[in-house]
Amino acid sequence: SSGINAEYGAVHAGYNQCLDVNSVEEGVEVTTYGCHVVTGDMSPPGDTQRFSYDEVTGEVRHESTGRCLTFTGPYVVAMMACSGEATQKWRLSEVVWRRK
């Protein structure tokens, strides 16, 4: 199922698929890739798959770059500087684990 592992930051986009970025450059397209961490595994995902989700603002922020998940066009999501724009507000279907 889709959702975010809020403790470790992996955003699941389907069976064993997680959001992933392959560069730290602004504007890089976000893709899916096999999850580096599987539910129940105690190791955190690699930096390319580590995100945080703010349930109040709806921002999904890439942990190592500080950039936000941004809708940039039909079927395209990229990492851009966080601006608070509507294109950076998300509702995740399920928060799998919560930080204590």
Side-chain angles (χ1 to χ4, degrees):
S1 70
S2 62
I4 187 168
N5 172 331
E7 185 169 353
Y8 295 115
V11 179
H12 294 262
Y15 180 74
N16 198 30
Q17 291 293 303
C18 288
L19 297 185
D20 195 288
V21 294
N22 63 6
S23 170
V24 297
E25 300 299 316
E26 182 158 352
V28 66
E29 189 172 331
V30 178
T31 61
T32 59
Y33 190 79
C35 297
H36 299 328
V37 63
V38 178
T39 303
D41 187 344
M42 298 311 290
S43 62
D47 285 345
T48 63
Q49 293 185 345
R50 191 171 298 143
F51 294 83
S52 62
Y53 175 58
D54 186 319
E55 293 182 59
V56 175
T57 66
E59 287 181 343
V60 177
R61 189 178 295 252
H62 187 243
E63 290 286 318
S64 63
T65 65
R67 294 191 176 97
C68 285
L69 195 67
T70 307
F71 175 77
T72 58
Y75 308 105
V76 180
V77 175
M79 299 307 307
M80 304 295 285
C82 299
S83 64
E85 298 290 323
T87 56
Q88 294 181 340
K89 299 194 183 298
W90 302 91
R91 265 190 234 151
L92 298 181
S93 64
E94 178 183 356
V95 175
V96 179
W97 293 338
R98 293 194 181 280
R99 286 193 174 104
K100 295 180 182 174

